[in-house]
Amino acid sequence: MNRLRRWARRWYAAWRASRLGTRLAFGLGALALVVFAIVGAVTVEFMHGYLDRRLDEQLKTSQVAQVPGLRTSHGNPEVVYSWFSAVFEVDGGVAKPQPGSDLPADVQPLADVAVDATRGDVFRTVYLHGDGPYRVRACPVATDSGGTGTVLLSAAPQADLEGTVRQLVMVEVIAFLIALAVLVVAGRLVLRRGLQPLSAMAGTAHDIASHDLTATADLPVRATGEGGGAEVAELRTAFNVMLTHIESALAARTAANERLRRFVADASHELRTPLTSIRGYADLFRYAAANEPAEREAHLTKIREETARMSVLVDDLLLLARLDAHDAEPPVRPERVDLVPIAEAAADAFRAGRPAHPLSVELPETPVVVDADPVRLRQIFDNLLANAAVHTPSGTQVGLFVDGSGGQAVVRVQDAGPGIAREDQRRIFDRFFRTDNSRTRSAGGTGLGLSVVQSLVVVHGGTVGVESQPGRTVFTVRLPAAR
């Protein structure tokens, strides 16, 4: 039993490991075998019943033709084909054959049928020792109510009938086996051709696996070909859509890694400069403390300036990191505020800190109410105004405009400077991006101000854009108005 169980498990494992086309072909063959078996059994049974009925009709026809003559002449029965024919005299439940009857050596089964036939026609199948099965029909010729009289009996061998049925079974078995073999082979070929598109998609998957996706995000292969039906076409389309999605995801990951690498490099460079300055001024301070005490305060002032500058940079980096962390709580505390006093405060601070840049302000007389963090709104105003002052020469006119119409709050910061090149406008909000493509500080700050503005505007549900040409640059911030 254990050996049989192990063999069954081994066979089942081999079956599951075989190709899908082979399993489908053999499954189709097994189904066809069941159908053939049912059809064959029904056919054989129908043919066997038909031949039995035909034999009974022949027995009846031959006896009906003989009975009238036997009643008048009391002669011998006719011998039909290779049948046994006999006339029995039945008396007291005992049947004796008359002389001239054609009977086998084993007479007793026939005599029993003759006794039963005194009461009416009898059909019965009996087995005669040495001769095999016979189909027997017995009918009364002249009998009385007491079961006494003459009975005609005919027995036809069933060997020919059984032989005919066996030949039919043999023909069916051979025909079904040939049909089954043709079905399995042809089905395997048809299935193999039908599954070819799936094999092609598997080849595409192996081709993708052979590519080094760490070097490039491009997937140059796609599932191609035709045929296979609507289901295979749908699978092919879904497969290609999946590859496109994977390619997009890999491209996004590659771009994100590149941005991260560039961000780390830029942040390291930006932090290295004030740290180098602090280290140099610290060495000078140590020297001045020993040799030039009057210069110590100047060196300390420089150290404080570089430290403050580095603190601003670190604060901006931390703010951007917190804004990028979608799973963390954003660093904003929205409340219902009016943009007008915030804009006025930012304008006053700009005039005090940037007296070389004249500022014009246009504010509405009615409040412009938004749901936002007032501290971050002030940071947006300060960064946009500082950007206008840093990237324009002294004396350049700067404008601040606030509007609350159309169901949204609109803030515009405009300057009359040299403008921003068209190719730079697409990257103006990138982190550490400078329009002069240099690492010097002469053109401005760290390159994080506009990135902070964009991140803060987005987290408040708004948008920010830029329009620039020589002599006019406008940054436009749109925030949803409070409901």
Side-chain angles (χ1 to χ4, degrees):
M1 181 61 69
N2 292 333
R3 181 180 300 176
L4 180 61
R5 188 179 295 110
R6 287 196 300 271
W7 179 86
R9 284 200 297 265
R10 191 180 302 113
W11 183 88
Y12 181 69
W15 168 260
R16 294 194 61 181
S18 61
R19 297 183 67 85
L20 177 61
T22 302
R23 285 190 287 170
L24 288 175
F26 278 103
L28 182 62
L31 179 61
L33 183 61
V34 173
V35 173
F36 289 163
I38 295 174
V39 172
V42 172
T43 303
V44 169
E45 185 65 27
F46 175 79
M47 182 58 67
H48 197 284
Y50 173 76
L51 294 176
D52 283 339
R53 290 191 298 272
R54 289 288 297 171
L55 183 59
D56 289 345
E57 290 176 1
Q58 290 176 355
L59 289 170
K60 181 178 179 181
T61 301
S62 67
Q63 289 185 344
V64 168
Q66 296 182 61
V67 166
L70 292 175
R71 287 175 179 172
T72 57
S73 64
H74 302 285
N76 296 323
E78 296 179 5
V79 178
V80 182
Y81 305 115
S82 59
W83 299 354
F84 294 121
S85 297
V87 175
F88 285 86
E89 291 292 337
V90 181
D91 186 12
V94 178
K96 294 180 180 180
Q98 291 183 356
S101 299
D102 184 14
L103 292 172
D106 187 10
V107 180
Q108 188 57 44
L110 300 180
D112 294 338
V113 175
V115 172
D116 294 338
T118 57
R119 293 184 293 272
D121 297 347
V122 175
F123 282 98
R124 188 173 299 171
T125 300
V126 300
Y127 183 82
L128 302 180
H129 185 70
D131 293 302
Y134 273 73
R135 185 64 174 173
V136 178
R137 184 181 191 273
C139 64
V141 176
T143 58
D144 56 22
S145 59
T148 301
T150 305
V151 174
L152 174 63
L153 183 143
S154 299
Q158 287 191 312
D160 294 339
L161 185 148
E162 298 295 337
T164 301
V165 173
R166 283 196 296 271
Q167 289 180 359
L168 176 62
V169 171
M170 185 63 64
V171 170
E172 285 187 344
V173 169
I174 294 174
F176 287 164
L177 288 178
I178 294 175
L180 182 63
V182 172
L183 179 63
V184 172
V185 174
R188 181 68 182 91
L189 294 176
V190 172
L191 288 172
R192 183 176 182 180
R193 183 177 181 85
L195 294 175
Q196 188 64 34
L198 298 182
S199 300
M201 281 187 276
T204 302
H206 289 299
D207 193 10
I208 293 172
S210 64
H211 282 75
D212 183 12
L213 300 180
T214 60
T216 177
D218 294 333
L219 298 178
V221 292
R222 290 293 187 274
T224 59
E226 297 179 353
E231 293 81 4
V232 175
E234 184 178 355
L235 177 61
R236 187 186 298 113
T237 302
F239 187 77
N240 288 334
V241 170
M242 180 191 67
L243 291 181
T244 303
H245 179 70
I246 292 174
E247 187 177 45
S248 301
L250 290 175
R253 188 189 67 177
T254 302
N257 290 338
E258 179 62 23
R259 287 196 302 269
L260 177 62
R261 186 195 62 78
R262 189 170 63 247
F263 179 79
V264 171
D266 291 338
S268 300
H269 184 87
E270 295 295 336
L271 289 172
R272 182 178 60 185
T273 300
L275 286 175
T276 302
S277 299
I278 292 173
R279 186 184 302 112
Y281 286 122
D283 292 338
L284 290 174
F285 177 80
R286 183 176 58 182
Y287 173 80
N291 301 289
E292 299 290 341
E295 297 182 4
R296 288 183 301 176
E297 190 61 33
H299 296 324
L300 282 176
T301 301
K302 292 294 185 181
I303 292 175
R304 292 191 190 95
E305 292 177 355
E306 292 298 329
T307 303
R309 183 168 171 274
M310 187 171 65
S311 298
V312 172
L313 175 62
V314 172
D315 290 341
D316 287 343
L317 290 174
L318 290 176
L319 176 60
L320 290 173
R322 293 178 64 188
L323 291 173
D324 289 342
H326 300 291
D327 55 341
E329 183 180 357
V332 294
R333 296 176 175 82
E335 60 183 74
R336 182 156 297 194
V337 295
D338 184 7
L339 278 180
V340 174
I342 298 177
E344 291 176 344
D348 293 340
F350 180 80
R351 291 191 183 97
R354 310 279 183 174
H357 287 78
L359 176 66
S360 61
V361 180
E362 292 185 10
L363 303 176
E365 296 180 359
T366 59
V368 180
V369 182
V370 295
D371 290 325
D373 188 333
V375 176
R376 299 308 177 186
L377 287 179
R378 173 62 185 273
Q379 190 172 3
I380 292 174
F381 281 106
D382 291 341
N383 285 8
L384 290 176
L385 291 172
N387 179 76
V390 167
H391 295 284
T392 58
S394 298
T396 302
Q397 181 70 36
V398 179
L400 173 61
F401 310 96
V402 178
D403 185 17
S405 62
Q408 60 182 353
V410 180
V411 177
R412 292 185 179 88
V413 176
Q414 175 179 324
D415 66 72
I420 304 172
R422 185 176 299 275
E423 60 272 13
D424 292 337
Q425 293 180 27
R426 295 191 299 269
R427 299 185 55 198
I428 194 66
F429 294 103
D430 291 351
R431 297 170 188 182
F432 295 109
F433 176 75
R434 297 190 187 89
T435 57
D436 62 349
N437 292 322
S438 68
R439 292 290 183 181
T440 65
R441 292 339 177 257
S442 60
T446 62
L448 292 177
L450 293 180
S451 298
V452 171
V453 169
Q454 185 188 44
S455 299
L456 288 175
V457 170
V458 170
V459 81
H460 282 96
T463 59
V464 59
V466 60
E467 297 177 3
S468 182
Q469 60 186 9
R472 186 175 184 271
T473 299
V474 181
F475 285 87
T476 305
V477 175
R478 301 180 185 275
L479 297 173
R483 296 181 180 180

